[in-house]
Amino acid sequence: MRIIYTLLLASIAIFSFPAFTNQTVSFENHQLSPFVNKGPFNFETIAEGGTPSPNTGPLTGANGTRGYVFVEASTGGAFNAGDTAILQADGIEADSIEFYYHMFGEHIGKLELQAVKNGIWETVTQIEGQQQASHSAAWKVHSASLSGFPMPTNIRFVVTAKGDYKGDIALDQVKFIQTPTLPSLIKADFENSLGFFTNTTPFLVSRYQGYTPTASTGPSSGANGTATYAFLETSTGAADSAGDTGILQANVSGSRLSFYFHMYGSHAGTIAVEALINGTWRQVWQQSGQVQTSSTDPWHKVYLNLSHYTAIRFKLVSAGGYLGDIAIDEIAFNPPELQDLSTSLEGGIDWQNEGNYMWLRQQGVAPTSYTGPSGAKEGNYYALFETSYGAAYNQGNSAILKSPRLLGNERVICYWFHMYGADVGALALQSSPNDSQWVTLMEFNRQQHSSESSKWSNVCAAIPSGTRYLRFLATANGGYRGDIAIDAIRIDSQASSAVEFASDTVQYYNGDPIQFNFTVDGPSSSYTVQYMETGGNWSNAQRTAGNSWRFNLSGNTNPAYVKVKVVFADGSVFYRTIHIQLENLGDKQPNKTIFIHTDLLGNPVAESQ
């Protein structure tokens, strides 16, 4: 069976969390809740270990856990053909359900997932017959959509026995998945008023259009192409003394925040953002001193991922002196680009942000000039590693986008990336068997594209055997023109790409060149092909015929992640990696010379030398 997972960054709606959203029932310590047995036979809990009967059932729980539930098929249990056990949960609100199952034994019957529609139980999923070959075989995972059922609904797992004792069916790690529809955006753009912001000090933060009244300080217009912004005037008669502070406060709840700021002027003071969290004002961001070098320099955008707050205030503090105007604009509470990038996919793949900095959910052109793409590769949205002030601005700042645990049969991951900007750092794709030891499958350093409108580049990388997690690691080089974007991530159980390898093993004799052969899908005259040498340099591959190519691996006697780059005539670039195993066949046997002669009786005799 071919399985493809696709990440397409989707649209936004208003969201409320149901009771069992994204919660997993693991059945540890004999706990069934929210499930109950409905008979006539029961799902029994196992705290750890295998089921009582030999040659059937698992050895332990799924994904390294201990507890699970199972239906006993021995005498006294669901032993006879047609015996059933029902495990039911009521009042469930979920878009889909993911669960793990183990069905080992020659007498395995049937496992069904059912849900109620119009008062009638309907079968959502049915799995029948032996699915594992041994006690120790890995649990399998299945995801089923509930999109056609009204919410809330009742769901149940039904096991039907085939007859005889080698028919234990086990269930574990049941997850109720509700795709998050995101909170409504609340925004202050200052075009018509201060909106829900109010001034709380005598030094007013005022709305303004165009250049501020004082030359050589302040912006020339609003952020992001708008006309109006809010600023603190530091001329004589306003906040001209050191420590004079203007505060804009909004009593708005949320957990995420974005805004633009402009700090041009040799007397620029400080912007501080404070959030009211659990009844206490906490400073969550600060910037001091001149940042822009002219009124027309681009505004900088800040993204803040915070604990839940009930109010936000901006403190604009004068350093003293008239060349210190400070401006803010386009303040967004719960901005869409800071919402989770995860989306429910076949098998339950949900990509998640990790670490101190986030991959942003971006639409259209990147917010900072001279960096990032002009739009998504597919659809409307893409994932953006933003390096402006307030984001991953400093060298070494990083963001991680990680998959959950994979099934284990995935062979290749393909994705598109865009790396334009003078300050671009690094983008790495990594794999891990255990979520702690990471191997880099593909890495790109520094700028790879020449403009916002440059074509996105495509990558397909072989997934090593035993991989359970994948992640994208973006690392800043330092500076605001360092945005990195990825889009259209696909994980496939079958290798299929513009570059195909006949085998991942290369055999060679001592003294012979180590050569690797592959083919490229495309008109032979419309592309060039290179491969990366051990030292990291790209070298031209050798065309052997038509779309067939070859390159040398001599000098590299260890397994290697070989990288191939195909540059097409339209300017698009495709990269492919494969993990190659080198097999040394030793020394060649010397050629033998055969001599033919006759013996004394005239019979032919062959001798070798």
Side-chain angles (χ1 to χ4, degrees):
M1 179 177 68
R2 189 180 188 191
I3 302 175
I4 300 177
Y5 310 126
T6 304
L7 173 64
L8 295 176
L9 307 182
S11 58
I12 303 175
I14 296 176
F15 171 71
S16 62
F17 286 93
F20 291 101
T21 297
N22 294 326
Q23 292 193 19
T24 300
V25 182
S26 60
F27 304 111
E28 296 296 310
N29 302 315
H30 300 288
Q31 296 299 311
L32 286 176
S33 179
F35 287 98
V36 294
N37 275 298
K38 293 289 187 177
F41 294 92
N42 289 337
F43 280 73
E44 300 179 24
T45 58
I46 291 281
E48 63 178 314
T51 62
S53 302
N55 301 315
T56 188
L59 287 180
T60 187
N63 286 342
T65 62
R66 295 182 177 183
Y68 58 93
V69 294
F70 81 107
V71 175
E72 173 64 69
S74 298
T75 302
F79 178 78
N80 297 308
D83 286 349
T84 59
I86 297 173
L87 191 66
Q88 184 169 321
D90 295 338
I92 298 301
E93 293 192 30
D95 295 329
S96 62
I97 294 179
E98 176 185 285
F99 61 91
Y100 285 79
Y101 61 93
H102 201 286
M103 300 170 69
F104 163 58
E106 61 181 289
H107 306 137
I108 290 292
K110 179 172 60 178
L111 172 65
E112 293 177 89
L113 169 65
Q114 299 178 345
V116 171
K117 182 189 289 185
N118 299 323
I120 300 173
W121 287 102
E122 293 189 6
T123 296
V124 181
T125 293
Q126 177 176 299
I127 304 168
E128 189 166 4
Q130 179 168 281
Q131 302 296 314
Q132 276 87 359
S134 69
H135 289 291
S136 58
W139 290 68
K140 293 185 177 181
V141 65
H142 183 81
S143 288
S145 173
L146 295 177
S147 60
F149 295 87
M151 293 294 134
T153 190
N154 301 338
I155 66 102
R156 68 183 186 183
F157 291 93
V158 180
V159 165
T160 304
K162 181 180 180 180
D164 217 334
Y165 75 95
K166 297 178 184 176
D168 293 353
I169 294 177
L171 180 70
D172 199 6
Q173 302 292 307
V174 180
K175 183 178 182 180
F176 301 100
I177 301 170
Q178 181 83 357
T179 303
T181 348
L182 306 171
S184 298
L185 169 68
I186 302 174
K187 189 174 183 179
D189 57 15
F190 306 119
E191 292 302 301
N192 299 307
S193 69
L194 290 177
F196 35 79
F197 279 98
T198 57
N199 278 286
T200 62
T201 68
F203 298 102
L204 299 182
V205 179
S206 306
R207 296 172 54 247
Y208 209 79
Q209 290 186 355
Y211 289 88
T212 60
T214 306
S216 302
T217 188
S220 60
S221 64
N224 205 25
T226 61
T228 309
Y229 54 91
F231 87 112
L232 178 70
E233 170 67 62
T234 61
S235 297
T236 303
D240 61 339
S241 299
D244 289 349
T245 302
I247 297 178
L248 277 185
Q249 180 172 323
N251 297 321
V252 176
S253 296
S255 61
R256 292 165 180 174
L257 180 74
S258 69
F259 62 93
Y260 287 85
F261 75 93
H262 201 285
M263 299 177 71
Y264 164 54
S266 57
H267 302 147
T270 298
I271 300 177
V273 180
E274 295 181 347
L276 186 62
I277 300 172
N278 295 326
T280 302
W281 285 104
R282 301 179 185 177
Q283 182 172 295
V284 294
W285 183 85
Q286 178 179 296
Q287 178 67 43
S288 297
Q290 177 173 282
V291 174
Q292 282 83 359
T293 58
S294 75
S295 295
T296 57
D297 273 358
W299 290 69
H300 289 305
K301 192 169 188 179
V302 177
Y303 302 90
L304 298 176
N305 186 23
L306 309 171
S307 300
H308 182 76
Y309 55 79
T310 54
I312 288 288
R313 65 187 184 191
F314 288 80
K315 298 177 71 173
L316 282 57
V317 184
S318 173
Y322 69 95
L323 299 178
D325 292 351
I326 300 172
I328 54 176
D329 200 5
E330 297 285 294
I331 301 170
F333 299 85
N334 301 314
E337 62 266 36
L338 277 179
Q339 306 299 345
D340 288 337
L341 290 166
S342 63
T343 182
S344 295
L345 306 168
E346 185 178 352
I349 294 295
D350 295 321
W351 293 86
Q352 299 289 340
N353 268 299
E354 286 191 350
N356 295 328
Y357 296 92
M358 297 180 65
W359 285 90
L360 307 177
R361 184 176 179 274
Q362 185 65 36
Q363 182 179 26
V365 66
T368 306
S369 301
Y370 306 111
T371 188
S374 58
K377 170 59 186 175
E378 293 185 12
N380 296 319
Y381 295 91
Y382 57 94
L384 180 69
F385 177 62
E386 169 66 57
T387 62
S388 295
Y389 283 86
Y393 175 78
N394 295 310
Q395 186 175 25
N397 290 162
S398 62
I400 293 172
L401 191 65
K402 193 187 80 174
S403 76
R405 184 178 173 86
L406 302 178
L407 301 180
N409 65 341
E410 298 83 359
R411 291 188 59 196
V412 64
I413 176 172
C414 296
Y415 61 96
W416 295 81
F417 75 94
H418 199 284
M419 298 172 69
Y420 162 58
D423 303 321
V424 164
L427 172 64
L429 168 67
Q430 299 179 327
S431 69
S432 173
N434 51 21
D435 198 17
S436 61
Q437 298 169 306
W438 293 93
V439 173
T440 297
L441 307 182
M442 178 65 86
E443 184 172 13
F444 298 94
N445 292 280
R446 305 308 304 263
Q447 179 171 272
Q448 301 292 317
H449 300 83
S450 59
S451 71
E452 294 171 336
S453 58
S454 293
K455 292 181 178 292
W456 289 66
S457 296
N458 190 207
V459 178
C460 285
I463 299 174
S465 176
T467 294
R468 288 297 179 268
Y469 298 92
L470 294 166
R471 73 180 186 183
F472 291 93
L473 171 63
T475 306
N477 188 49
Y480 68 91
R481 295 177 181 175
D483 293 355
I484 297 172
I486 54 177
D487 197 7
I489 306 169
R490 292 177 173 87
I491 301 176
D492 199 340
S493 62
Q494 295 184 8
S496 177
S497 68
V499 177
E500 293 298 337
F501 305 107
S503 171
D504 60 0
T505 300
V506 177
Q507 298 177 326
Y508 67 98
Y509 290 99
N510 290 332
D512 282 354
I514 307 172
Q515 296 179 325
F516 188 71
N517 298 292
F518 60 97
T519 60
V520 176
D521 182 16
S524 59
S525 61
S526 66
Y527 59 83
T528 59
V529 180
Q530 295 181 313
Y531 69 97
M532 184 173 286
E533 296 179 322
T534 304
N537 297 318
W538 289 101
S539 294
N540 292 326
Q542 174 189 356
R543 188 194 300 270
T544 55
N547 289 346
S548 298
W549 296 79
R550 171 188 296 159
F551 57 80
N552 288 324
L553 289 169
S554 300
N556 187 351
T557 56
N558 295 314
Y561 283 99
V562 173
K563 300 176 178 64
V564 175
K565 178 169 69 173
V566 182
V567 182
F568 292 94
D570 64 358
S572 58
V573 182
F574 175 83
Y575 297 87
R576 181 77 158 90
T577 69
I578 184 172
H579 186 250
I580 293 178
Q581 178 71 46
L582 303 182
E583 184 178 342
N584 189 318
L585 302 178
D587 294 327
K588 276 187 176 179
Q589 295 297 318
N591 294 328
K592 295 182 178 180
T593 303
I594 307 298
F595 297 92
I596 306 294
H597 61 90
T598 59
D599 60 15
L600 294 176
L601 300 177
N603 298 315
V605 177
E607 294 183 0
S608 63
Q609 175 176 316

